Every structure is written in structure tokens, then in C-alpha cells.
Amino acid sequence: MTNADIIRQKFGDIFEEDLIEDLAKDAIVTPVLEGNKLIRRGTSFQYIVLLLDGTMKVTRSDDETGQEHLLFYLSGTDSCAATFVLCNNKYNVSEIDMEAETDSMVLLIPRTRMNELLARYNSWRNFVLETFGEKIKEFLDTLDSITFMKLDERLIRYLRDRSKVLGTNELEITHQEIAKDLTTSRVVISRLLKMLERDGHIRLHRNLIELVDL
């Protein structure tokens, strides 16, 4: 299957044919295995990222503590708005980390193409604007949860969101991984998960959480 066929299969309903053929000329299709980072904060990154398959997690780390804060997930045919910003970044240094939550496939477009694509193709311009709008809303939701929600409410939302993104009610994840994403301790997360299990909302297994009624 050619690059054009892959792009057409995933984005044919929103990208015009001329854009598809144009993107296929210098785009790169590459896998990112589960647990591997495609982008690391503080390093140079030369591409716009469009997700073709799988799930990616976008985080931002704290310089002083080293803790990572979950910003949002990418799934389906999402693109990463944070890589759009790099296109006009003088130093082209990433402010985020992007890690494969599951085995994934991404389409990488050279960042130097951004302004040209915006000028030439209405479908690309609309796609970029819609992506910015969606990710800003997700970021504000994340900010609201950190600012206004109690930790137990954040945990329930985290489990719901993860279930929705991965398309399953059985989440293969450790208590430590959840604690890391929610910037708290494993002991606190374990206690809250036990409470949710006691109330019949989840079932706990070894490195797996089954959502029953959230």
C-alpha cells in the first residue's frame, strides 16, 4: 500500500485529493511500539504528527520534580496540535512528550510544509483549526479537573477517558502508572481504587482494572 493509499484510507473523507497526493510525496509512515516515546521534551522535532492507528499519550514534565502531567490522549485519526506549534518555533524544541500507549502507526509530515499547506488547501486549514479547537477544549477540561475536582473525581474521569480511548472496559495498568499520570502517590491511588471496588464500580485484578459501573 502506498503512502497515498494510507492517507486516503484514513483521511479521504476530509482531505481533498490534491492534498492527499501532495502529502504522500514526502510524508513518512512509521510504527511506534507501546511504551516508546516519539517525542521527548527539550529535544528537536521536525515533523507534524498525524495518528493513523493506535493510541498515544501526550504529557508535560516538570523541570524541578521530574513529574509528568497527563495532557491528553490521541486516538483514531487525531493529530497533535502541539506539533503544529513547533512549525513556527524558532528553535524547534518540543515542550511535550509523546509516548505510545499501545502499538501505534503515525504519519509524519515535515514541519517546513505547514505554511504552504495552509495557503494551498482549504481542507488542511480546516483540519488544523478544528484540531486546535478540540485540543484546547481537552486542555481546559484537564486544567479544570486539576483545579476544581477532588482526586477521587479525577480518578473516575481518568478511568472513563482511558476506557473510551482504548475502547475497552478492561484496563491493563498498574496503580503506580495511574499515580504517575495523576501526579500523586501509589498508596493514595490504591486506597481510592479499593473504595471504588467496594462500591461496585470496578473490579481489581493483578495489573488490570475492570470497569463495571462508572
Side-chain angles (χ1 to χ4, degrees):
M1 186 179 291
T2 66
N3 280 0
D5 291 334
I6 293 172
I7 297 171
R8 190 177 294 110
Q9 183 181 68
K10 293 293 182 178
F11 298 97
D13 58 336
I14 57 176
F15 287 172
E16 56 208 276
E17 184 62 27
D18 286 348
L19 172 58
I20 292 173
E21 294 292 339
D22 196 348
L23 291 175
K25 293 175 184 177
D26 49 13
I28 300 170
V29 176
T30 186
V32 187
L33 299 181
E34 179 180 346
N36 288 353
K37 285 192 176 183
L38 176 64
I39 306 174
R40 293 182 182 274
R41 187 183 179 209
T43 62
S44 175
F45 193 73
Q46 302 290 334
Y47 298 96
I48 302 162
V49 179
L50 272 63
L51 186 64
L52 297 173
D53 191 35
T55 306
M56 306 288 287
K57 178 171 68 174
V58 179
T59 61
R60 179 175 169 85
S61 56
D62 186 284
D63 290 330
E64 294 184 1
T65 65
Q67 291 181 319
E68 288 188 347
H69 303 271
L70 177 65
L71 297 180
F72 51 80
Y73 289 101
L74 301 178
S75 62
T77 52
D78 275 346
S79 58
C80 184
T83 61
F84 293 167
V85 176
L86 288 178
C87 296
N88 290 314
N89 182 332
K90 178 180 178 182
Y91 302 103
N92 194 37
V93 174
S94 175
E95 294 292 337
I96 54 95
D97 292 275
M98 186 186 297
E99 178 180 328
E101 188 78 0
T102 64
D103 288 347
S104 302
M105 190 71 67
V106 297
L107 181 74
L108 304 178
I109 303 166
R111 71 182 186 92
T112 54
R113 299 291 317 278
M114 174 62 92
N115 289 338
E116 174 196 349
L117 295 172
L118 287 172
R120 291 185 63 181
Y121 301 105
N122 287 334
S123 60
W124 179 258
R125 185 163 56 250
N126 292 337
F127 176 71
V128 170
L129 291 174
E130 288 175 7
T131 298
F132 267 125
E134 291 170 1
K135 294 311 173 189
I136 288 173
K137 182 179 183 302
E138 288 183 31
F139 173 75
L140 291 175
D141 287 343
T142 299
L143 182 62
D144 283 347
S145 72
I146 294 173
T147 306
F148 302 115
M149 296 175 70
K150 296 185 296 184
L151 185 56
D152 57 342
E153 295 172 327
R154 289 176 59 202
L155 174 58
I156 291 172
R157 176 181 169 175
Y158 172 88
L159 296 174
R160 285 174 178 165
D161 288 348
R162 193 179 180 92
S163 173
K164 181 179 178 181
V165 166
L166 297 177
T168 178
N169 286 331
E170 295 185 350
L171 306 179
E172 296 183 13
I173 190 169
T174 66
H175 297 189
Q176 182 59 48
E177 290 171 326
I178 298 174
K180 180 180 177 182
D181 284 343
L182 295 182
T183 322
T184 186
S185 71
R186 181 192 60 78
V187 172
V188 171
I189 291 299
S190 295
R191 176 173 57 80
L192 292 176
L193 288 172
K194 283 292 186 183
M195 291 173 60
L196 290 176
E197 183 179 43
R198 182 197 63 197
D199 293 339
H201 298 304
I202 62 174
R203 295 191 187 98
L204 296 176
H205 309 275
R206 182 173 177 82
N207 295 339
L208 186 144
I209 300 172
E210 180 184 355
L211 275 59
V212 178
D213 180 18
L214 278 180

